[in-house]
Amino acid sequence: MDVDEFRAKLHVLAVDDDRVSLMLIEKQLRHCRYNVTTVMHAETALEMLRARRDADQFDLVITDVHMPGMDGFKFLELIGLEMDIPVIMLSANDTLETMMKGIKHGALNYLVKPVGLEQLKNLWIHVVAKHMDGPSNSINNYSDDGHHQPRSGDSEDENVANHTSMSSRKKKKEDGTREDKEAKRQRIQWSGQLHRLFVEVVHQLGIDKAVPKKIVEMMNVEGLTRDHVASHLQKYRLFLKKVSTGAYRRCNPFTDETVWSEGNSINTHGLGTFGHNLEHGIYHSSISFAGSSNSSDRFARMNSAAAIGTHSMLPTHSVQLMNQRNLSIPLKDMGSVGYGTPSNSSANIRNGSPLLAASMEATNYPYRSYASLCMSDPYPSDGNRRRINRLSRLAASSGQNSEFQNQTAALTRTTTQMAGITEQMAPFNIGSNTNSIVMTNYNSVPGDASSVISDLPSIQMYRDVMESQIVSGGDGSGSLLGHQAAADQLNYNNESLIGTSSGQNGHSDDLDDFFSDCLNQDVFKNGDAFMDGDCEFAPFFLTFLFDKGN
Amino acid sequence: MLFLQGYLDEQFNQLEELQDETSPNFVEEVVVFDKYPQDFYRLDSLVHTLKGRGTSIGAMRMKNECSVLKAHCNNKNLEGCRRSLQKMKREHATLKQKLEAYCQMMRQVGPRERAVNSRK
C-alpha cells in the first residue's frame, strides 16, 4: 500500500465556520485522497464524533481556530476529553500566542493558512503517531478498514501486524457492554468503570507493590494486557504526583499543611479513587448543594457551593489533553469504593476529608492550587486567576445559602460554559430541590458514594477557604463569622483525623509511601510537560457530570 | 496563485463560487462597520475570515491589506480602519476581476486542456 492508499482509509472531519474556507480545505483534503466530512459548527462536529464513538470514528479532525459559538480551543479540549482523536488546528492567525495556545490545548499540529497540499498530505502521520503512545498500543483502526490479515511486508501496518488478527477476532465477538468491547480492542479505552477497577486493584495491592502484571491478573478483564496497565499505571502515578506536589509549590504560609491522613486502608484505598474524584469530581461536588436548614447540612451545602465555585473553573483552562484517552467514570459506579456506610454527614466528613485532604495536601488556597492543578498550568492566566480569586471570595463570603447558590450557580454556569457542559451543570446547582434530593440520597443510600464524594472535597475546601479568609482577613463579609463556628468544628474534625504534617517522603503512612513513590518516579511521557500526564485523569470529572445526569 | 492552480484545476466551478462568497462577505463587512463604527471586534472577526480566504487562494495583496485593517482594529483606529477598508475594497475588486478572467479562460479552454494549462 502506498501513502495515497493509506490516506484513502482515513476519515477526516473538517470544521470551519466560514463556508469558503471550509470548501477550500475540503477540496485540498480530497485532492490528497482523504475521506472528508465537513461541518460548520463545532457543536455539530462534537455530536458527530460522539455518535461514532463506538464505530467508524473519525481518524483526524481539522478545525479552524477562530469560530463564533464554540471556538477552536474549546472544541479541542472537548475532543481530547471525550474521545482521543488527533486534532489539527488551522488558522490565518500566525501569532505565537495563538499557536502556543493551540498546542497547549492539545492540538497535534497548528497549520497556518494558506495551507499547502504538502502539509495536508502528511497529516496521516499524526494519526499514526497518536496511536503509538503506549508500549503495546497499536493502530487497530487502520486494520479495521479491511486489512484484517496481518501483512508483514507492509510498512505502515507493521506495528499492527501482530495485533491485527487478534483485534479482528476480538472485534467479531460483539459484546454487550461497552467496557468489554473496549477492553477487547487493542487500543484500550479506559472507561470509568475500568479505571475504577484499576484504582481499586492498585490500592489493594498497595501502590508501591502494584506491578502491572499483578494488576492485570487481579483486574481480570478480558483483553487487558500488561502493557495497557503499565502505561495506565504510569499515567496514574504522574497524576498522583501532580496532585501531591503540583501547583502547590507556591503555596501559602499556613501551618496546617498536612493532610496525610491516618486510617491506612480506607485512605489508601479511597485515595486513588478520591484523587480522581477530586480532579474529576470537581464538577461532581457541585452536586451536593442542598437547600434545607439544619446546620451540618447547611454547612455541607456551603461547602459544596464553595466547591462549585472552585470546581467550575477547572475545565475552562487548558487541560492538557494530548494523550488523552477516554476516561469516563460513570458516577454511580463509584459507589462502593472504600467507604463504609455513610450514615450521616459527619461520619462522611470524617472518612472523607482526610482523603480529600490527603490528596490535596490541604493547602489553604485550595482553589487556586486546585484549579491550577487541574488546569495543568502552574501559572494560570490572569483571567483565570481573577476568576479563581473571585470564586473563592464568593464562596467564602456569601451569607445566604440561596444567594450564594445563585451566585455560584451563575458563576458556575458562566465559567463552565467554557467547557461546554453548561447544560449538564445546570441541574446540579440550581435550587434546593435538586440538592435536597441529593442530600437525601446521600443519607439514605449507603452505597452511593457519589454523594459522599461530592461532599467531601467541598467540606475540606470550605474549611480551607474559611481559613484563608480568616487569616487573610479576607473578603469575607460578616457572614463569615456565622460560619466560623461550624468551620471550627469541622476543622477540629479534620485535624483530629489528619496525621502530623509529615511532608512527603518516607513516612509511616501508606499514603506517604505512595506519594513518595510517585515523587521518585520518573514518569515523564514522551518528554511532555509534567502536567500533561495528570490531566489525562482530569476528564473523569466531566464525565462524572455527564453520567450523573442519568 | 500556485494553490489555486494546484487544486482548482478541475474545479473552477468552485472557484467561481468562491469569489461569489467573498463578495457578499465583504459588503457585509463594510455595512457592519458603518453601522457600528465602534464594533471593532466584529469587524476584526470578519476581516480575519476574509484574510483566511485571501491567503488560501493566494491573494497576497488582499491578505496584506487585511492585516493592516486588523491592526487598525486592534488600535481602535477608526480613521485607519476606514482607509484600510477602502483599500481592501479596491484589492478585492481587482481580485475579483482577475478571478473572473481566469475562470473564463478555463471555461474556454475546455476540460482536458485545462489540466495542461495549469501546469504551465
Side-chain angles (χ1 to χ4, degrees):
Chain A
M1 172 175 29
D2 67 3
V3 186
D4 257 1
E5 287 170 25
F6 187 68
R7 281 197 292 262
K9 298 199 303 177
L10 299 184
H11 201 170
V12 181
L13 179 64
V15 186
D16 193 328
D17 63 306
D18 177 32
R19 192 151 82 87
V20 175
S21 301
L22 190 58
M23 190 177 70
L24 277 167
I25 191 74
E26 184 190 4
K27 293 284 160 276
Q28 285 178 293
L29 287 168
R30 290 242 158 90
H31 190 83
C32 300
R33 305 272 183 276
Y34 293 104
N35 296 317
V36 189
T37 306
T38 57
V39 171
M40 286 187 68
H41 300 286
E43 291 89 354
T44 321
L46 267 176
E47 277 171 32
M48 289 176 75
L49 289 166
R50 284 171 187 153
R52 292 175 184 232
R53 215 193 282 258
D54 292 330
D56 201 25
Q57 181 59 284
F58 289 98
D59 297 297
L60 182 67
V61 177
I62 297 185
T63 175
D64 189 38
V65 167
H66 188 94
M67 295 192 283
M70 194 191 297
D71 79 2
F73 300 114
K74 213 183 316 166
F75 181 48
L76 186 50
E77 271 182 44
L78 286 174
I79 294 183
L81 286 174
E82 299 183 28
M83 54 220 75
D84 194 17
I85 305 180
V87 184
I88 311 282
M89 303 218 84
L90 190 61
S91 183
N93 189 325
D94 61 353
T95 60
L96 183 66
E97 303 85 50
T98 320
M99 292 178 80
M100 294 275 266
K101 196 174 172 194
I103 303 303
K104 282 196 179 137
H105 278 72
L108 281 185
N109 202 347
Y110 186 112
L111 304 175
V112 179
K113 290 184 190 173
V115 182
L117 288 175
E118 290 311 309
Q119 285 177 289
L120 294 178
K121 276 181 176 164
N122 289 333
L123 288 181
W124 64 269
I125 290 175
H126 293 289
V127 186
V128 171
K130 183 95 176 172
H131 291 281
M132 287 172 60
D133 61 0
S136 74
N137 283 341
S138 53
I139 311 149
N140 66 340
N141 287 346
Y142 316 108
S143 64
D144 296 345
D145 288 343
H147 295 264
H148 285 284
Q149 310 311 317
R151 288 157 50 140
S152 48
D154 199 315
S155 59
E156 278 118 11
D157 287 342
E158 234 170 55
N159 295 330
V160 186
N162 295 336
H163 305 280
T164 356
S165 48
M166 201 158 65
S167 63
S168 64
R169 257 188 282 121
K170 283 174 183 172
K171 282 212 74 139
K172 279 173 193 145
K173 290 194 240 169
E174 283 293 30
D175 206 285
T177 70
R178 180 174 158 186
E179 186 191 82
D180 286 351
K181 203 159 138 196
E182 309 284 348
K184 283 170 186 172
R185 288 165 71 145
Q186 214 45 41
R187 170 104 190 280
I188 188 80
Q189 288 237 306
W190 283 89
S191 70
Q193 218 171 354
L194 197 59
H195 179 76
R196 180 180 60 87
L197 181 60
F198 167 80
V199 168
E200 257 184 70
V201 165
V202 163
H203 286 291
Q204 271 172 31
L205 291 172
I207 268 291
D208 48 347
K209 293 190 203 66
V211 284
K213 186 151 182 293
K214 279 201 191 140
I215 296 176
V216 168
E217 282 165 19
M218 286 187 70
M219 280 180 78
N220 196 23
V221 172
E222 198 184 330
L224 189 67
T225 69
R226 188 218 151 268
D227 289 329
H228 290 136
V229 169
S231 70
H232 196 71
L233 182 65
Q234 198 181 37
K235 288 180 200 162
Y236 182 59
R237 283 192 173 135
L238 251 183
F239 163 74
L240 289 168
K241 190 169 165 187
K242 182 68 192 284
V243 166
S244 69
T245 64
Y248 299 88
R249 281 180 208 119
R250 29 165 192 138
C251 238
N252 54 89
F254 285 67
T255 55
D256 184 25
E257 298 228 280
T258 121
V259 244
W260 305 108
S261 62
E262 309 172 340
N264 297 332
S265 61
I266 287 184
N267 290 334
T268 46
H269 187 110
L271 174 69
T273 333
F274 199 74
H276 290 284
N277 292 342
L278 200 55
E279 284 260 315
H280 316 184
I282 288 176
Y283 298 85
H284 193 37
S285 29
S286 62
I287 293 169
S288 55
F289 207 25
S292 52
S293 56
N294 78 64
S295 66
S296 68
D297 280 345
R298 182 159 157 263
F299 193 71
R301 259 172 304 156
M302 293 300 296
N303 293 342
S304 357
I308 281 197
T310 316
H311 297 167
S312 58
M313 306 180 284
L314 293 169
T316 64
H317 201 275
S318 59
V319 180
Q320 303 208 21
L321 309 166
M322 295 211 203
N323 298 314
Q324 277 311 338
R325 304 203 187 166
N326 183 6
L327 308 169
S328 57
I329 298 184
L331 199 54
K332 37 190 182 292
D333 291 334
M334 296 306 306
S336 51
V337 186
Y339 292 95
T341 55
S343 52
N344 58 59
S345 40
S346 59
N348 292 322
I349 290 172
R350 272 196 292 275
N351 282 340
S353 57
L355 293 178
L356 168 57
S359 52
M360 285 189 57
E361 272 184 46
T363 66
N364 289 293
Y365 289 105
Y367 292 173
R368 183 186 303 253
S369 43
Y370 196 99
S372 25
L373 165 72
C374 298
M375 287 180 184
S376 73
D377 180 359
Y379 308 106
S381 66
D382 285 348
N384 285 333
R385 212 193 299 269
R386 277 195 291 276
R387 224 188 330 256
I388 292 167
N389 291 339
R390 192 163 69 119
L391 284 169
S392 50
R393 278 197 292 277
L394 200 71
S397 66
S398 165
Q400 309 263 341
N401 280 349
S402 56
E403 176 194 346
F404 184 173
Q405 284 175 0
N406 288 340
Q407 282 176 326
T408 326
L411 222 58
T412 308
R413 273 191 283 275
T414 334
T415 52
T416 56
Q417 232 171 344
M418 292 181 57
I421 55 171
T422 316
E423 65 281 4
Q424 277 104 345
M425 280 296 276
F428 299 128
N429 53 25
I430 292 177
S432 46
N433 293 337
T434 321
N435 303 326
S436 51
I437 289 171
V438 173
M439 287 304 279
T440 314
N441 287 345
Y442 166 89
N443 286 326
S444 63
V445 179
D448 186 359
S450 53
S451 313
V452 173
I453 292 166
S454 60
D455 275 336
L456 303 173
S458 51
I459 290 163
Q460 179 65 19
M461 301 279 265
Y462 189 61
R463 172 179 87 90
D464 293 334
V465 168
M466 295 293 294
E467 288 182 10
S468 65
Q469 291 294 337
I470 293 165
V471 175
S472 61
D475 305 320
S477 54
S479 60
L480 205 63
L481 294 173
H483 302 300
Q484 265 191 12
D488 288 344
Q489 185 186 8
L490 191 62
N491 285 347
Y492 176 77
N493 283 342
N494 283 345
E495 276 150 14
S496 63
L497 296 163
I498 293 171
T500 51
S501 169
S502 50
Q504 293 166 1
N505 293 316
H507 290 272
S508 52
D509 288 347
D510 283 359
L511 208 52
D512 289 343
D513 290 344
F514 172 57
F515 275 94
S516 61
D517 178 54
C518 289
L519 288 173
N520 293 333
Q521 302 259 345
D522 179 23
V523 286
F524 286 9
K525 269 194 120 173
N526 46 315
D528 282 348
F530 177 53
M531 282 81 80
D532 286 345
D534 315 315
C535 286
E536 299 204 20
F537 295 91
F540 277 86
F541 283 135
L542 281 186
T543 53
F544 261 43
L545 213 47
F546 295 142
D547 292 336
K548 181 63 180 172
N550 295 340
Chain B
M1 297 296 244
L2 256 177
F3 304 111
L4 243 184
Q5 288 171 348
Y7 62 85
L8 289 175
D9 278 358
E10 290 126 28
Q11 291 137 2
F12 74 94
N13 287 324
Q14 279 80 12
L15 181 55
E16 286 182 303
E17 212 181 320
L18 206 160
Q19 68 177 12
D20 289 340
E21 284 293 322
T22 56
S23 309
N25 198 259
F26 192 79
V27 170
E28 181 194 340
E29 194 180 303
V30 179
V31 166
V32 159
F33 191 59
D34 286 337
K35 264 168 101 174
Y36 309 105
Q38 301 311 313
D39 198 351
F40 288 103
Y41 186 69
R42 177 115 192 258
L43 183 63
D44 187 70
S45 251
L46 284 170
V47 175
H48 182 86
T49 309
L50 258 181
K51 183 180 171 191
R53 292 178 184 173
T55 53
S56 299
I57 64 172
M60 284 303 142
R61 288 167 66 138
M62 176 100 163
K63 172 218 161 195
N64 289 336
E65 205 49 50
C66 284
S67 297
V68 173
L69 185 52
K70 276 189 118 200
H72 284 305
C73 278
N74 282 338
N75 301 333
K76 306 238 189 283
N77 180 348
L78 195 64
E79 217 11 73
C81 278
R82 286 208 171 176
R83 272 187 275 122
S84 241
L85 211 51
Q86 292 307 316
K87 271 201 202 153
M88 269 242 294
K89 251 172 137 175
R90 281 195 295 257
E91 286 300 326
H92 179 261
T94 317
L95 185 65
K96 194 161 173 195
Q97 248 183 357
K98 294 208 166 133
L99 277 178
E100 272 171 1
Y102 184 73
C103 287
Q104 280 242 336
M105 191 168 66
M106 291 305 223
R107 259 178 267 132
Q108 279 166 11
V109 163
R112 223 174 287 157
E113 272 116 310
R114 213 183 301 150
V116 172
N117 264 347
S118 70
R119 252 149 237 165
K120 264 200 274 192

